Amino acid sequence: MTIGAIEAGGTKFVCGLLQANSSDRARPQLIARASVPTTSPLETLEAALAFFTSSEYGHAKPDCFGIGCFGPVDLKPKSDTWGYITSTPKPLWSNTDIAGFFRSRLSLPVAFDTDVNAAAYGEFLWGAARELKDFVYITVGTGIGGGVFSGGDLVHGMIHPELGHLKLAREPGDGFAGSCPFHRDCLEGMASGPAIAARWGKRSEELPSGHPAWELEARYLARAIAAWTFTLSPERIIVGGGIGMREGMVERVAVLLKEELGGYVAALDSPPRLASYVVRPGLGAEAGLYGSAAIAMRFCAD
Amino acid sequence: MTIGAIEAGGTKFVCGLLQANSSDRARPQLIARASVPTTSPLETLEAALAFFTSSEYGHAKPDCFGIGCFGPVDLKPKSDTWGYITSTPKPLWSNTDIAGFFRSRLSLPVAFDTDVNAAAYGEFLWGAARELKDFVYITVGTGIGGGVFSGGDLVHGMIHPELGHLKLAREPGDGFAGSCPFHRDCLEGMASGPAIAARWGKRSEELPSGHPAWELEARYLARAIAAWTFTLSPERIIVGGGIGMREGMVERVAVLLKEELGGYVAALDSPPRLASYVVRPGLGAEAGLYGSAAIAMRFCAD
């Protein structure tokens, strides 16, 4: 079986063709990939489509197709705008029919979910959440978002979770106003890459290890993880994204999480337990792309 | 079918016998009830047991039995301490085998969950959450706790959610240290009945409508509900408990919730939608007792 997958992000669309052996549940093999910059919707979608239709790659036509998309998106199966990006602050992208574009141009069934839900599903099948029924996947980078797995399935709810917009208690002395256009000082407004850059006056990539930015970052991530722990009682928290996967980050978050929980969660009272509770994605930076393939495979199997 | 139900709380055990017609899904009829003060475990459990075994009520022996219990509790089916209250700060009650006591003394199967999960399940069957797949039930009174329904079932996760221990951003100028013995200024430490009493120097029952305590209370509840909204994307939030059900409380919380969401959740942008999003329990103060019957009925039907 050939699977087309797109991790549709705010800065780039990562496109992949994968080959799966339908008789097992192993991770499919990535046979071709391309990255398309996210510019205008038409330009971006056409460039992504070209990857799947161009003969120069010698591609097999995909049998099923999955898209994990930046949001907010419409996931209600019966909605007229299912598969759309809805009211995003990203210029030009509001009310864009992502799933419909590929469905009509490729004449294929298309699975569609948030980028982070797709990544969570990929981690469930092939990554750091195998065998788990309750976990959270978050990505910390240009934005902060997350997918929630509860009782053995992805949480969608009324729309879909927006974990990055959680409002947190500030650290004493932290006077940074926050960078979220909706909430100023929500988690994303305090701890995303752009927030770090605005707070410290340097891009996060330029801040060395040992800079106080990283201790504060770990503190806010630990505080958010404590909130999700109290709300969802998950078995694991997977932290991805460029900032989340920095060397030492999950280890420091795990240490600070113990303080944030205040001794209340007995199952998380020892360093080894905390170390297996806050982890990096098993699929690393590819969680979103493999996850988009994962939702495609599930969709075609249904 | 006769159902025995206990809402086991930190101040009282409410015991009920209910009669259900097994051919329909209507709410069972309460045929007898009693309230037993929560003193020592042995005294309390024996007094509750006497209600179910005494001939003076002319009781039918229950066919199934459900307990919604204050926590933390052990809900892992395979655990040696399933059905126990575990490490509660409540004096004398740590490591108490609640479910086992009734199972052995009544020779009956016993369903066991948190008090708030039971109440949530009652609201799902017969209250304000009928037909909903994703909602949150919270109780605001002596403590603050909540049950979460996601994808059509109760969330248990690693242990069970502890919604009351969410740490919130403070209101500017609020210097109250908080009353939670674990976290000081978590939601329960800032907005439970004892927190209100400690902050204002008067029991909450003595504070009149219009007192600034109630505006601050609504603000913190709205902030917590925003956090759960971003984390779970529920379709409804049910607010019970003596403080949650105060006149005007859910209405004021709904107004403040719009501010706390910062315009981010388009489905919650109008007053009518907010008014049907934050509601009182359909079962009122009986949500816990009926909910305990509800989990008993489900357990016996399985």
Side-chain angles (χ1 to χ4, degrees):
Chain A
M1 183 167 61
T2 304
I3 305 140
I6 301 179
E7 181 189 12
T11 51
K12 60 180 188 285
F13 276 42
V14 181
C15 306
L17 263 181
L18 302 95
Q19 199 73 45
N21 182 339
S22 58
S23 67
D24 64 31
R25 296 195 64 196
R27 190 175 75 176
Q29 203 180 352
L30 187 63
I31 52 178
R33 68 174 282 159
S35 181
V36 169
T38 306
T39 56
S40 73
L42 194 61
E43 188 176 47
T44 310
L45 297 177
E46 289 287 357
L49 181 69
F51 167 78
F52 293 102
T53 55
S54 162
S55 60
E56 81 179 89
Y57 299 99
H59 291 163
K61 183 172 183 287
D63 302 298
C64 58
F65 203 88
I67 304 170
C69 191
F70 74 99
V73 290
D74 185 342
L75 301 177
K76 288 280 176 218
K78 293 177 183 168
S79 165
D80 289 343
T81 53
W82 172 87
Y84 279 56
I85 292 175
T86 57
S87 58
T88 175
K90 189 169 175 65
L92 306 173
W93 284 84
S94 283
N95 302 311
T96 300
D97 181 9
I98 306 284
F101 177 86
F102 291 96
R103 188 167 55 183
S104 68
R105 298 292 285 272
L106 291 169
S107 302
L108 273 177
V110 170
F112 185 77
D113 210 325
T114 63
D115 45 3
V116 283
N117 269 351
Y121 199 69
E123 288 292 310
F124 170 68
L125 288 187
W126 308 306
R130 275 174 281 188
E131 316 285 315
L132 299 187
K133 289 190 165 182
D134 297 85
F135 69 94
V136 174
Y137 169 89
I138 60 161
T139 177
V140 184
T142 310
I144 299 181
V148 176
F149 222 74
S150 177
D153 206 353
L154 289 168
V155 170
H156 290 105
M158 183 173 62
I159 305 168
H160 48 74
E162 286 284 359
L163 299 182
H165 292 284
L166 189 68
K167 186 184 177 83
L168 297 175
R170 284 168 173 273
E171 269 299 274
D174 181 7
F176 176 57
S179 66
C180 173
F182 292 95
H183 311 103
R184 305 299 302 174
D185 61 352
C186 64
L187 174 62
E188 182 168 291
M190 296 297 271
S192 65
I196 293 171
R199 181 199 299 278
W200 301 99
K202 268 191 181 172
R203 295 180 60 218
S204 62
E205 297 87 328
E206 296 165 15
L207 297 170
S209 296
H211 189 283
W214 301 120
E215 179 69 7
L216 189 64
E217 181 73 10
R219 172 63 69 181
Y220 283 130
L221 294 179
R223 190 158 293 164
I225 288 170
W228 300 323
T229 299
F230 288 132
T231 303
L232 292 159
S233 194
E235 299 164 280
R236 186 161 290 157
I237 309 272
I238 301 170
V239 185
I243 292 169
M245 291 193 291
R246 269 182 68 92
E247 200 184 331
M249 181 58 76
V250 298
E251 291 79 3
R252 186 63 190 154
V253 170
V255 169
L256 297 177
L257 177 60
K258 189 169 158 61
E259 291 178 31
E260 294 290 329
L261 294 174
Y264 200 74
V265 181
L268 295 174
D269 59 358
S270 72
R273 285 177 168 188
L274 286 158
S276 69
Y277 184 68
V278 185
V279 303
R280 290 185 186 78
L283 300 169
E286 303 287 21
L289 184 60
Y290 280 107
S292 299
I295 62 168
M297 290 167 71
R298 181 173 66 166
F299 193 71
C300 284
D302 275 353
Chain B
M1 182 166 62
T2 303
I3 305 140
I6 301 179
E7 182 189 12
T11 50
K12 61 180 190 283
F13 276 43
V14 180
C15 306
L17 264 181
L18 302 94
Q19 200 73 46
N21 182 341
S22 58
S23 67
D24 63 31
R25 297 196 65 197
R27 190 174 75 176
Q29 203 180 351
L30 186 63
I31 53 179
R33 68 175 283 159
S35 181
V36 169
T38 306
T39 56
S40 73
L42 195 62
E43 188 176 47
T44 309
L45 297 177
E46 289 288 356
L49 181 69
F51 167 78
F52 293 103
T53 54
S54 162
S55 59
E56 81 178 90
Y57 299 100
H59 290 164
K61 184 171 183 288
D63 302 299
C64 59
F65 203 86
I67 304 171
C69 192
F70 73 99
V73 291
D74 186 342
L75 301 178
K76 288 280 177 217
K78 291 176 183 168
S79 165
D80 289 343
T81 53
W82 173 87
Y84 278 56
I85 291 175
T86 57
S87 58
T88 175
K90 191 169 174 62
L92 305 173
W93 283 85
S94 282
N95 301 312
T96 301
D97 181 9
I98 305 284
F101 177 87
F102 291 97
R103 188 167 53 182
S104 68
R105 298 292 285 273
L106 292 170
S107 301
L108 273 178
V110 170
F112 185 78
D113 210 324
T114 63
D115 45 4
V116 282
N117 269 351
Y121 199 67
E123 288 293 311
F124 170 67
L125 288 187
W126 308 305
R130 275 173 281 187
E131 317 284 315
L132 299 187
K133 289 191 164 180
D134 298 85
F135 69 94
V136 175
Y137 169 89
I138 61 161
T139 176
V140 184
T142 310
I144 299 181
V148 176
F149 222 76
S150 177
D153 207 354
L154 289 168
V155 170
H156 290 105
M158 183 173 63
I159 306 168
H160 49 74
E162 287 283 1
L163 300 183
H165 293 284
L166 189 69
K167 187 185 176 83
L168 295 177
R170 284 168 173 273
E171 269 300 275
D174 180 7
F176 176 57
S179 66
C180 173
F182 292 95
H183 311 104
R184 306 298 304 174
D185 61 352
C186 64
L187 175 62
E188 182 167 291
M190 296 298 269
S192 64
I196 293 172
R199 181 200 299 275
W200 300 100
K202 268 192 180 170
R203 296 179 60 220
S204 62
E205 298 87 329
E206 296 165 16
L207 297 170
S209 296
H211 190 284
W214 299 119
E215 179 69 7
L216 189 64
E217 180 73 10
R219 173 62 70 181
Y220 284 130
L221 293 180
R223 191 159 292 165
I225 288 171
W228 300 322
T229 299
F230 288 133
T231 304
L232 293 158
S233 194
E235 300 164 279
R236 186 161 292 158
I237 309 272
I238 301 170
V239 185
I243 291 169
M245 291 192 291
R246 270 182 66 93
E247 201 185 330
M249 182 59 77
V250 297
E251 291 79 3
R252 186 64 189 153
V253 170
V255 169
L256 297 177
L257 177 60
K258 188 169 157 65
E259 290 177 33
E260 294 291 329
L261 293 173
Y264 200 72
V265 181
L268 294 175
D269 60 358
S270 71
R273 285 176 168 189
L274 286 158
S276 70
Y277 184 67
V278 185
V279 302
R280 292 185 185 77
L283 300 169
E286 303 286 24
L289 184 61
Y290 280 108
S292 299
I295 62 168
M297 291 168 69
R298 181 172 67 167
F299 192 71
C300 283
D302 274 354

